[in-house]
Amino acid sequence: MPGVLLVCDAPEQAVLSEPLRQPMSSGPVRLLTATEPAAALATFLESYPEVLVVTATIAGVDAAGLIESVRRAVGRAEVSVVVVGDLSGPVTSALDAAELGGDRFVARPLSPKALRYAVAASRAAVATTAGPSAPSMRTAMSRPLGG
């Protein structure tokens, strides 16, 4: 089942995860969560979700650094990044989110419908880029050389 990794402060998890737990038109989603960068990266490398949803400002987390680490782990086409912006602060526009390395941006105040749409569009982009039968980079890299 396709996965979505949500990385945000603990108090925000309930608000942000609720819209993602509802059935999507693109099919069921396995929702994973993390509140700190080490746990987020470990969860990503263990599960390889196709969408990373990250809030722009997380206590003690460099969102740009996390996105960069994820992008180094797998090809850009294998994970789409949704950045949830701030009401005020450094990330309030799609341009700010793009500078962090995000593919999509959801503004605050948060619209659950906008978050669901961004995740559904991200899932579709990953599926379109990879194709239904294309082996993923992580699958290819897990095979022995010459195999």
Side-chain angles (χ1 to χ4, degrees):
M1 178 184 313
V4 174
L5 174 58
L6 170 63
V7 184
C8 62
D9 290 324
E12 288 190 290
Q13 273 190 355
V15 172
L16 294 174
S17 64
E18 181 59 32
L20 302 177
R21 292 188 193 284
Q22 298 170 12
M24 294 194 183
S25 60
S26 56
V29 173
R30 179 177 43 122
L31 182 62
L32 309 163
T33 60
T35 57
E36 57 185 46
L41 194 54
T43 300
F44 182 85
L45 294 173
E46 180 180 303
S47 304
Y48 290 105
E50 59 191 3
V51 180
L52 171 66
V53 177
V54 61
T55 54
T57 52
I58 310 170
V61 175
D62 172 19
L66 175 62
I67 294 168
E68 183 180 322
S69 295
V70 164
R71 297 276 193 218
R72 279 194 310 256
V74 296
R76 186 173 186 93
E78 291 191 51
V79 63
S80 185
V81 178
V82 177
V83 176
V84 178
D86 304 316
L87 283 172
S88 62
V91 181
T92 57
S93 70
L95 179 59
D96 298 331
E99 289 175 355
L100 287 179
D103 300 305
R104 287 179 176 64
F105 173 71
V106 178
R108 302 262 186 157
L110 183 73
S111 160
K113 187 174 183 177
L115 180 59
R116 290 171 50 78
Y117 177 81
V119 169
S122 293
R123 290 180 66 195
V126 171
T128 300
T129 304
S133 61
S136 69
M137 176 66 96
R138 57 186 167 264
T139 300
M141 292 185 69
S142 66
R143 294 183 185 137
L145 290 175

